[in-house]
Amino acid sequence: MKHRSFKQYFITGLLVWLPLAITVWVLMWLVGLLDAVFLAVLHAADTLIPGIHVSAEYLRGVPGLGVAIVAVFIFLTGVFVANMFGQWWLRSWHGLMNRIPVVRTIYTSVRQVADTLFSGSGNAFSKALLVQYPRHGSWTIAFLTGTPGGEVASHFDQPLVSVYVPTTPNPTSGFFLMMPKADVIELDMSVDDALKYIISMGVVVPGTPAPASANDGPLPKSV
């Protein structure tokens, strides 16, 4: 049996546990976010209604309760606004938020983005593109978010597209660019494959088979 070094065994073990550890970390972050929303609402209720202090302290100690309650509340909100009365309430709520200075700007922008991304209408993030950024001759992957319109479009005499260039390895931050349509190359790869390519910093190439796990073959060779 061929001798294996400590480094080879360590790398093999790392390849087994690293994907699981990152997945657990992301899920814990999401759970913590939902739980924080519940605790903030509970703290506000405890401040406004001093009589529920004992119940609030008990609820704070129940693990996972915040996530379950927030998830159920979001689901019930969707059910509520699906009927005629819910639609009237939603329009009234939007009207109220649009009359508050400063809040109006932030709320309207976030609402439009959320409607575009999650409603299924429009072509936001529907295609992966290849663009030259941050300079000519340097290429990166971007996502189509639409086409410029209104006053912005009137300043150009050629078709443009709006693209989002994500950063690596965190695609939730990035840059919004308007580029000539002729300078953009549309890719055949799906948005999911493009995201994997970006998050992995080019290590996971779309169209190639997934790397074998540590139990599927020999240990990696030393470098």
Side-chain angles (χ1 to χ4, degrees):
M1 180 177 179
K2 191 174 180 180
H3 176 70
R4 302 292 180 180
S5 67
F6 171 81
K7 178 182 177 182
Q8 291 171 323
Y9 284 118
F10 184 83
I11 292 177
T12 302
L14 186 65
L15 292 176
V16 172
W17 290 109
L18 186 60
L20 177 61
I22 294 178
T23 302
V24 171
W25 176 78
V26 172
L27 292 177
M28 290 181 63
W29 173 83
L30 181 60
V31 169
L33 178 63
L34 295 177
D35 202 41
V37 173
F38 170 72
L39 291 177
V41 174
L42 194 62
H43 178 73
D46 190 15
T47 303
L48 298 175
I49 311 174
I52 68 169
H53 179 72
V54 176
S55 300
E57 288 297 325
Y58 172 76
L59 293 176
R60 286 191 181 97
V62 179
L65 180 62
V67 177
I69 291 179
V70 172
V72 170
F73 178 76
I74 293 175
F75 172 77
L76 293 178
T77 302
V79 174
F80 172 71
V81 299
N83 56 57
M84 185 179 299
F85 177 75
Q87 289 293 320
W88 172 84
W89 177 87
L90 188 62
R91 288 193 297 269
S92 301
W93 173 258
H94 290 331
L96 175 63
M97 299 300 290
N98 287 332
R99 286 193 293 269
I100 303 176
V102 182
V103 174
R104 172 180 55 203
T105 303
I106 301 174
Y107 179 81
T108 303
S109 301
V110 174
R111 177 193 167 196
Q112 290 176 346
V113 172
D115 287 344
T116 302
L117 293 178
F118 298 110
S119 66
S121 60
N123 56 356
F125 289 88
S126 61
K127 296 180 181 178
L129 308 173
L130 198 60
V131 301
Q132 297 191 73
Y133 181 84
R135 62 177 179 82
H136 184 76
S138 179
W139 295 85
T140 189
I141 291 179
F143 298 101
L144 177 68
T145 61
T147 56
E151 181 183 356
V152 174
S154 65
H155 290 277
F156 301 97
D157 56 358
Q158 59 178 322
L160 269 71
V161 292
S162 301
V163 301
Y164 172 72
V165 180
T167 56
T168 301
N170 178 19
T172 59
S173 64
F175 305 92
F176 166 67
L177 304 173
M178 289 176 284
M179 311 182 69
K181 188 175 182 180
D183 295 343
V184 170
I185 300 177
E186 184 177 333
L187 300 175
D188 291 331
M189 73 173 67
S190 65
V191 173
D192 288 341
D193 286 341
L195 282 173
K196 292 177 184 177
Y197 200 31
I198 294 168
I199 294 173
S200 69
M201 296 175 286
V203 175
V204 179
V205 181
T208 58
S213 63
N215 297 326
D216 292 340
L219 296 173
K221 298 181 181 179
S222 58
V223 179

Short mmCIF file of all heavy atoms in Angstrom, two decimals, residues 167-199:
data_model
loop_
_atom_site.label_atom_id
_atom_site.label_comp_id
_atom_site.label_asym_id
_atom_site.label_seq_id
_atom_site.Cartn_x
_atom_site.Cartn_y
_atom_site.Cartn_z
N THR A 167 -19.78 40.29 -7.65
CA THR A 167 -18.42 40.10 -7.16
C THR A 167 -18.22 38.65 -6.76
O THR A 167 -19.16 37.89 -6.59
CB THR A 167 -18.15 41.01 -5.95
OG1 THR A 167 -19.14 40.76 -4.94
CG2 THR A 167 -18.21 42.47 -6.34
N THR A 168 -16.96 38.27 -6.60
CA THR A 168 -16.59 36.90 -6.24
C THR A 168 -15.87 36.91 -4.89
O THR A 168 -15.01 37.76 -4.67
CB THR A 168 -15.65 36.31 -7.31
OG1 THR A 168 -16.31 36.33 -8.57
CG2 THR A 168 -15.25 34.90 -7.00
N PRO A 169 -16.19 35.98 -3.98
CA PRO A 169 -17.15 34.87 -4.12
C PRO A 169 -18.55 35.21 -3.61
O PRO A 169 -19.38 34.33 -3.48
CB PRO A 169 -16.53 33.79 -3.24
CG PRO A 169 -15.88 34.57 -2.13
CD PRO A 169 -15.37 35.85 -2.76
N ASN A 170 -18.81 36.49 -3.29
CA ASN A 170 -20.12 36.89 -2.76
C ASN A 170 -20.91 37.59 -3.86
O ASN A 170 -20.71 38.78 -4.12
CB ASN A 170 -19.94 37.83 -1.56
CG ASN A 170 -21.26 38.32 -1.01
OD1 ASN A 170 -22.31 37.73 -1.27
ND2 ASN A 170 -21.23 39.41 -0.26
N PRO A 171 -21.81 36.89 -4.54
CA PRO A 171 -22.53 37.48 -5.67
C PRO A 171 -23.65 38.44 -5.27
O PRO A 171 -24.28 39.03 -6.12
CB PRO A 171 -23.10 36.26 -6.39
CG PRO A 171 -23.31 35.25 -5.32
CD PRO A 171 -22.21 35.48 -4.32
N THR A 172 -23.90 38.60 -3.94
CA THR A 172 -24.96 39.51 -3.52
C THR A 172 -24.53 40.98 -3.61
O THR A 172 -25.37 41.87 -3.51
CB THR A 172 -25.39 39.22 -2.07
OG1 THR A 172 -24.25 39.35 -1.20
CG2 THR A 172 -25.94 37.80 -1.97
N SER A 173 -23.25 41.22 -3.79
CA SER A 173 -22.77 42.59 -4.04
C SER A 173 -22.17 42.63 -5.44
O SER A 173 -21.68 41.62 -5.95
CB SER A 173 -21.72 43.00 -3.00
OG SER A 173 -20.56 42.17 -3.10
N GLY A 174 -22.24 43.79 -6.05
CA GLY A 174 -21.72 43.90 -7.42
C GLY A 174 -21.93 45.28 -7.98
O GLY A 174 -22.07 46.25 -7.23
N PHE A 175 -21.99 45.37 -9.30
CA PHE A 175 -22.06 46.66 -9.98
C PHE A 175 -23.14 46.62 -11.05
O PHE A 175 -23.30 45.62 -11.76
CB PHE A 175 -20.71 47.00 -10.62
CG PHE A 175 -19.56 46.98 -9.65
CD1 PHE A 175 -18.80 45.83 -9.47
CD2 PHE A 175 -19.25 48.10 -8.89
CE1 PHE A 175 -17.75 45.80 -8.58
CE2 PHE A 175 -18.21 48.09 -8.00
CZ PHE A 175 -17.45 46.93 -7.83
N PHE A 176 -23.86 47.73 -11.17
CA PHE A 176 -24.88 47.88 -12.20
C PHE A 176 -24.28 48.68 -13.35
O PHE A 176 -23.75 49.78 -13.16
CB PHE A 176 -26.10 48.60 -11.64
CG PHE A 176 -27.05 49.08 -12.70
CD1 PHE A 176 -27.75 48.19 -13.49
CD2 PHE A 176 -27.20 50.44 -12.92
CE1 PHE A 176 -28.61 48.64 -14.48
CE2 PHE A 176 -28.06 50.91 -13.90
CZ PHE A 176 -28.77 49.99 -14.68
N LEU A 177 -24.36 48.13 -14.57
CA LEU A 177 -23.77 48.77 -15.74
C LEU A 177 -24.79 48.80 -16.88
O LEU A 177 -25.65 47.92 -16.99
CB LEU A 177 -22.52 48.02 -16.20
CG LEU A 177 -21.40 47.82 -15.19
CD1 LEU A 177 -20.33 46.91 -15.78
CD2 LEU A 177 -20.79 49.15 -14.77
N MET A 178 -24.66 49.82 -17.72
CA MET A 178 -25.42 49.88 -18.98
C MET A 178 -24.41 49.80 -20.11
O MET A 178 -23.53 50.64 -20.21
CB MET A 178 -26.23 51.17 -19.04
CG MET A 178 -27.40 51.20 -18.08
SD MET A 178 -28.30 52.76 -18.06
CE MET A 178 -27.15 53.78 -17.11
N MET A 179 -24.55 48.79 -20.94
CA MET A 179 -23.55 48.51 -21.97
C MET A 179 -24.22 48.38 -23.33
O MET A 179 -25.39 47.98 -23.42
CB MET A 179 -22.79 47.21 -21.63
CG MET A 179 -22.27 47.13 -20.21
SD MET A 179 -21.34 45.62 -19.91
CE MET A 179 -19.90 45.91 -20.92
N PRO A 180 -23.48 48.70 -24.41
CA PRO A 180 -24.03 48.47 -25.75
C PRO A 180 -24.36 47.00 -25.98
O PRO A 180 -23.59 46.12 -25.59
CB PRO A 180 -22.89 48.93 -26.67
CG PRO A 180 -22.09 49.88 -25.85
CD PRO A 180 -22.17 49.36 -24.44
N LYS A 181 -25.51 46.75 -26.54
CA LYS A 181 -25.94 45.38 -26.76
C LYS A 181 -24.96 44.62 -27.64
O LYS A 181 -24.78 43.41 -27.47
CB LYS A 181 -27.33 45.38 -27.39
CG LYS A 181 -27.98 44.02 -27.50
CD LYS A 181 -29.39 44.12 -28.03
CE LYS A 181 -30.06 42.75 -28.09
NZ LYS A 181 -31.45 42.84 -28.62
N ALA A 182 -24.30 45.33 -28.55
CA ALA A 182 -23.35 44.69 -29.46
C ALA A 182 -22.11 44.20 -28.74
O ALA A 182 -21.40 43.33 -29.24
CB ALA A 182 -22.96 45.65 -30.58
N ASP A 183 -21.81 44.76 -27.55
CA ASP A 183 -20.61 44.38 -26.81
C ASP A 183 -20.86 43.26 -25.82
O ASP A 183 -19.95 42.88 -25.07
CB ASP A 183 -20.06 45.60 -26.05
CG ASP A 183 -19.56 46.69 -26.99
OD1 ASP A 183 -19.36 46.38 -28.18
OD2 ASP A 183 -19.40 47.83 -26.53
N VAL A 184 -22.08 42.74 -25.80
CA VAL A 184 -22.44 41.70 -24.82
C VAL A 184 -22.61 40.37 -25.53
O VAL A 184 -23.23 40.30 -26.60
CB VAL A 184 -23.75 42.09 -24.10
CG1 VAL A 184 -24.27 40.92 -23.28
CG2 VAL A 184 -23.53 43.30 -23.22
N ILE A 185 -22.03 39.33 -24.96
CA ILE A 185 -22.16 37.98 -25.51
C ILE A 185 -23.10 37.17 -24.63
O ILE A 185 -22.86 37.02 -23.43
CB ILE A 185 -20.78 37.29 -25.59
CG1 ILE A 185 -19.83 38.08 -26.49
CG2 ILE A 185 -20.94 35.85 -26.10
CD1 ILE A 185 -18.43 37.51 -26.56
N GLU A 186 -24.18 36.67 -25.22
CA GLU A 186 -25.14 35.86 -24.47
C GLU A 186 -24.65 34.43 -24.38
O GLU A 186 -24.26 33.82 -25.37
CB GLU A 186 -26.50 35.91 -25.15
CG GLU A 186 -27.59 35.18 -24.39
CD GLU A 186 -28.95 35.31 -25.05
OE1 GLU A 186 -29.16 36.34 -25.75
OE2 GLU A 186 -29.79 34.40 -24.89
N LEU A 187 -24.65 33.88 -23.17
CA LEU A 187 -24.16 32.53 -22.94
C LEU A 187 -25.31 31.53 -22.92
O LEU A 187 -26.44 31.87 -22.58
CB LEU A 187 -23.40 32.47 -21.60
CG LEU A 187 -22.17 33.38 -21.49
CD1 LEU A 187 -21.60 33.32 -20.08
CD2 LEU A 187 -21.11 32.98 -22.51
N ASP A 188 -25.00 30.28 -23.26
CA ASP A 188 -25.99 29.22 -23.23
C ASP A 188 -26.17 28.64 -21.83
O ASP A 188 -27.16 27.96 -21.58
CB ASP A 188 -25.61 28.10 -24.20
CG ASP A 188 -25.72 28.53 -25.65
OD1 ASP A 188 -26.57 29.41 -25.93
OD2 ASP A 188 -24.98 28.00 -26.50
N MET A 189 -25.22 28.86 -20.95
CA MET A 189 -25.30 28.29 -19.61
C MET A 189 -26.45 28.93 -18.82
O MET A 189 -26.83 30.07 -19.06
CB MET A 189 -23.98 28.48 -18.87
CG MET A 189 -23.70 29.91 -18.41
SD MET A 189 -22.22 30.05 -17.35
CE MET A 189 -20.92 29.64 -18.51
N SER A 190 -26.99 28.16 -17.90
CA SER A 190 -28.09 28.65 -17.08
C SER A 190 -27.57 29.64 -16.03
O SER A 190 -26.37 29.74 -15.78
CB SER A 190 -28.80 27.48 -16.38
OG SER A 190 -27.91 26.86 -15.45
N VAL A 191 -28.51 30.36 -15.43
CA VAL A 191 -28.14 31.31 -14.39
C VAL A 191 -27.52 30.58 -13.20
O VAL A 191 -26.56 31.06 -12.59
CB VAL A 191 -29.38 32.13 -13.95
CG1 VAL A 191 -29.06 33.00 -12.74
CG2 VAL A 191 -29.87 32.99 -15.10
N ASP A 192 -28.05 29.40 -12.87
CA ASP A 192 -27.50 28.62 -11.75
C ASP A 192 -26.06 28.22 -12.01
O ASP A 192 -25.19 28.31 -11.13
CB ASP A 192 -28.35 27.37 -11.51
CG ASP A 192 -29.70 27.70 -10.90
OD1 ASP A 192 -29.83 28.81 -10.34
OD2 ASP A 192 -30.62 26.87 -10.99
N ASP A 193 -25.77 27.75 -13.23
CA ASP A 193 -24.40 27.37 -13.57
C ASP A 193 -23.48 28.58 -13.53
O ASP A 193 -22.32 28.47 -13.10
CB ASP A 193 -24.36 26.73 -14.95
CG ASP A 193 -24.93 25.32 -14.96
OD1 ASP A 193 -25.01 24.72 -13.87
OD2 ASP A 193 -25.30 24.82 -16.04
N ALA A 194 -23.97 29.72 -14.00
CA ALA A 194 -23.15 30.93 -13.98
C ALA A 194 -22.83 31.35 -12.54
O ALA A 194 -21.71 31.78 -12.24
CB ALA A 194 -23.88 32.05 -14.72
N LEU A 195 -23.81 31.22 -11.65
CA LEU A 195 -23.57 31.56 -10.24
C LEU A 195 -22.54 30.63 -9.62
O LEU A 195 -21.68 31.07 -8.85
CB LEU A 195 -24.89 31.49 -9.47
CG LEU A 195 -25.83 32.69 -9.63
CD1 LEU A 195 -27.16 32.42 -8.96
CD2 LEU A 195 -25.19 33.96 -9.07
N LYS A 196 -22.62 29.35 -9.95
CA LYS A 196 -21.62 28.39 -9.44
C LYS A 196 -20.23 28.77 -9.94
O LYS A 196 -19.25 28.69 -9.19
CB LYS A 196 -21.98 26.98 -9.89
CG LYS A 196 -23.24 26.42 -9.27
CD LYS A 196 -23.55 25.03 -9.83
CE LYS A 196 -24.87 24.50 -9.30
NZ LYS A 196 -25.21 23.18 -9.89
N TYR A 197 -20.16 29.17 -11.19
CA TYR A 197 -18.87 29.56 -11.77
C TYR A 197 -18.29 30.77 -11.05
O TYR A 197 -17.09 30.85 -10.78
CB TYR A 197 -19.10 29.86 -13.26
CG TYR A 197 -17.85 29.82 -14.11
CD1 TYR A 197 -16.80 28.98 -13.79
CD2 TYR A 197 -17.74 30.61 -15.25
CE1 TYR A 197 -15.66 28.92 -14.58
CE2 TYR A 197 -16.60 30.57 -16.04
CZ TYR A 197 -15.57 29.72 -15.70
OH TYR A 197 -14.44 29.67 -16.47
N ILE A 198 -19.17 31.72 -10.70
CA ILE A 198 -18.72 32.94 -10.04
C ILE A 198 -18.32 32.67 -8.60
O ILE A 198 -17.26 33.09 -8.13
CB ILE A 198 -19.83 34.01 -10.10
CG1 ILE A 198 -20.05 34.45 -11.54
CG2 ILE A 198 -19.49 35.21 -9.22
CD1 ILE A 198 -21.30 35.28 -11.73
N ILE A 199 -19.18 31.95 -7.86
CA ILE A 199 -18.92 31.69 -6.45
C ILE A 199 -17.64 30.87 -6.27
O ILE A 199 -16.88 31.08 -5.32
CB ILE A 199 -20.12 30.97 -5.82
CG1 ILE A 199 -21.35 31.90 -5.81
CG2 ILE A 199 -19.81 30.49 -4.41
CD1 ILE A 199 -22.63 31.23 -5.36
#
